[in-house]
Amino acid sequence: MKELAKSKAKMPITENEYTDLLKTARTQIDAGRSTIALQVNSTANTTYWNLGKLLHERKIEGGYGSSVIERLSVDLKKDYPDMGLSPRNLWYMKQFFERYCDSDIKLQRCVAVLSWRKIVLLINKKLSDQETFYYATETVKKNWNKDFLLNAIKMDMYSAHKNEIRDNNFAQTLPALQAEQANEILQDSYNLGFLNVTEPIAELELERRLVEKIKTFMLELGTGFTFIDNQHHLEYNNKEYFVDMLFFNRKLKCLVAIDLKIGEFKSEYVGKMNMYLSLLDKLEKEDDENQSIGIILCAEKDHLDVEIALQDVNKPIAVADYELIVPKKELQTLVLEEMNKTVEDAAKSKLPSVEDAAKSATTKKQQKKKKD
């Protein structure tokens, strides 16, 4: 009570203004708690975001604002004792809003699903938007706990990830966050072993088999893909063009064109894909969509060849290779499992069943009685 009385004495705003602040804060909390059972982190963080926004808009700053925050914490905890509404957390909520309010919407959504302790950790580390996006997406994807996230930041895993060799030009042709997301979603190599290819096939046959198993192929491609068409028809200046496979990715919010090649990468493939992307952006891209991305999917590639071919290209293009058989490590595991299974089956076949053992024992007893 002494602390509360002390806070009232130092109030930098009028009693009516404070009453309005407290009332609005309670409204924000009640609005958030109505759906908190469905989406715990996201909804709770939305509540914290709104409280932070409220404190920001009321210009509650350090120093004179400390007494306001202390009193607000005391009053809110009476009604919401389990929400972590300490003065320290209320300040963090204000920082939470101020840190991300001007950030890309994709970053805001990515951070919003983290636990509050992880959000506070990211705020304290004062990371860039690109770094925050990487650590937030990795945390969600790999289910990192707070300690693992802390160690990942200390090890500067973002820099190691950023320096990985990528056979694409996303960094030069896309906004930073979209380039980061494209690198997360699109792979550098794909396993097409599910096609059961045992002998050389033509590109159209490869395409036909991929279309037949399109659901499996989309899972291999990554998250958020929707299949639109194969041999997608484009017409411009009285000329016809056909894109091998066309997808839409809802996370990247763009068309993704795939050009299939059964041989090794050749530099002329880039010019062809660049033209496809120009036509897609001109003829089919919606105003609210991002520019189209192209993937040249070939049997083999050389990084230096890809790098020089993409050097002055202004459309986002990636070159990926594929395997038509089960990868070596997986194949070895399958072979060992099959061998162990064979040994176990052979061992089982040599052992008599319970019924056979019982019959054998009965027969031996009968034979012994006859001898006696």
Side-chain angles (χ1 to χ4, degrees):
M1 293 299 294
K2 288 182 179 179
E3 183 181 345
L4 184 56
K6 186 178 178 183
S7 297
K8 285 183 177 179
K10 294 182 179 180
M11 288 291 286
I13 57 178
T14 66
E15 191 65 27
N16 287 339
E17 288 174 332
Y18 176 77
T19 301
D20 182 56
L21 172 65
L22 177 62
K23 181 181 177 182
T24 308
R26 282 173 170 155
T27 301
Q28 297 287 4
I29 294 171
D30 288 334
R33 293 187 86 182
S34 63
T35 54
I36 201 165
L38 298 176
Q39 295 176 314
V40 178
N41 283 347
S42 184
T43 306
N45 291 337
T46 298
T47 304
Y48 296 157
W49 174 276
N50 290 333
L51 286 172
K53 182 180 180 182
L54 174 64
L55 296 175
H56 171 80
E57 290 175 342
R58 298 298 175 92
K59 297 183 174 18
I60 307 299
E61 303 295 341
Y64 76 87
S66 296
S67 57
V68 178
I69 293 294
E70 287 171 7
R71 184 181 175 188
L72 188 64
S73 173
V74 170
D75 288 335
L76 288 176
K77 284 194 287 188
K78 292 176 184 176
D79 297 323
Y80 316 102
D82 301 321
M83 280 194 66
L85 298 169
S86 64
R88 184 181 180 187
N89 262 343
L90 287 172
W91 283 121
Y92 272 130
M93 290 170 201
K94 182 172 181 286
Q95 289 182 56
F96 177 40
F97 172 77
E98 292 173 343
R99 168 61 184 85
Y100 298 112
C101 63
D102 294 323
S103 297
D104 187 275
I105 187 66
K106 294 173 185 174
L107 177 60
Q108 291 178 4
R109 288 172 180 169
C110 192
V111 172
V113 297
L114 299 178
S115 69
W116 179 242
R117 292 177 65 207
K118 293 170 187 172
I119 290 175
V120 170
L121 172 61
L122 291 175
I123 290 172
N124 285 333
K125 291 300 177 181
K126 302 187 185 305
L127 304 169
S128 68
D129 279 5
Q130 290 79 14
E131 290 173 312
T132 303
F133 183 80
Y134 169 74
Y135 289 116
T137 51
E138 287 295 293
T139 298
V140 173
K141 189 195 309 181
K142 298 176 181 176
N143 198 26
W144 287 352
N145 59 29
K146 181 175 176 283
D147 291 336
F148 202 106
L149 174 60
L150 174 62
N151 286 325
I153 296 172
K154 284 185 175 180
M155 291 167 61
D156 196 14
M157 286 180 65
Y158 169 75
S159 294
H161 166 78
K162 189 179 179 182
N163 293 329
E164 284 180 1
I165 294 176
R166 297 278 184 171
D167 285 324
N168 64 54
N169 61 353
F170 294 161
Q172 293 76 39
T173 57
L174 294 173
L177 274 176
Q178 193 185 353
E180 188 79 24
Q181 198 168 23
N183 276 320
E184 287 295 325
I185 293 174
L186 303 176
Q187 302 174 42
D188 205 44
S189 185
Y190 295 92
N191 173 30
L192 307 184
F194 58 86
L195 296 178
N196 299 318
V197 175
T198 57
E199 57 186 23
I201 59 174
E203 286 170 5
L204 285 175
E205 174 63 13
L206 178 61
E207 178 188 320
R208 185 188 68 78
R209 294 196 187 193
L210 285 173
V211 172
E212 282 182 353
K213 298 192 176 182
I214 195 64
K215 288 184 180 179
T216 310
F217 183 45
M218 284 194 294
L219 288 174
E220 179 64 21
L221 282 176
T223 57
F225 280 91
T226 300
F227 178 56
I228 296 177
D229 198 7
N230 68 300
Q231 290 300 305
H232 185 74
H233 178 252
L234 296 168
E235 188 172 347
Y236 185 72
N237 194 27
N238 296 320
K239 294 177 183 177
E240 292 184 315
Y241 304 91
F242 296 90
V243 179
D244 285 348
M245 303 185 82
L246 186 64
F247 295 82
F248 185 83
N249 187 281
R250 59 185 179 83
K251 291 195 172 183
L252 296 173
K253 205 171 185 184
C254 71
L255 294 166
V256 179
I258 294 182
D259 196 19
L260 298 170
K261 300 298 176 185
I262 58 171
E264 64 181 359
F265 170 77
K266 295 179 182 178
S267 58
E268 55 259 37
Y269 298 159
V270 172
K272 182 181 176 184
M273 177 57 78
N274 197 62
M275 180 181 63
Y276 285 162
L277 297 178
S278 295
L279 290 172
L280 286 170
D281 286 343
K282 185 178 184 65
L283 302 176
E284 303 202 5
K285 182 179 83 69
E286 300 291 343
D287 292 339
D288 62 341
E289 293 175 0
N290 296 316
Q291 61 178 316
S292 305
I293 291 176
I295 302 174
I296 300 170
L297 196 55
C298 49
E300 290 183 5
K301 61 175 179 172
D302 180 274
H303 173 68
L304 292 178
D305 289 343
V306 174
E307 186 176 44
I308 195 67
L310 292 176
Q311 190 168 1
D312 297 314
V313 176
N314 62 358
K315 293 292 184 182
I317 297 174
V319 179
D321 56 17
Y322 58 82
E323 293 181 84
L324 288 176
I325 61 171
V326 178
K328 186 177 179 181
K329 287 184 179 179
E330 292 183 28
L331 186 61
Q332 288 174 342
T333 303
L334 289 172
V335 170
L336 286 173
E337 287 178 353
E338 190 61 33
M339 288 173 65
N340 290 334
K341 184 180 177 184
T342 302
V343 171
E344 289 174 4
D345 290 344
K348 287 178 181 178
S349 65
K350 291 180 181 178
L351 293 172
S353 65
V354 176
E355 292 179 355
D356 290 340
K359 287 180 181 177
S360 177
T362 303
T363 303
K364 286 179 181 178
K365 285 182 181 179
Q366 290 174 348
Q367 288 175 348
K368 188 177 180 182
K369 283 181 181 179
K370 286 180 181 179
K371 287 180 181 179
D372 294 341

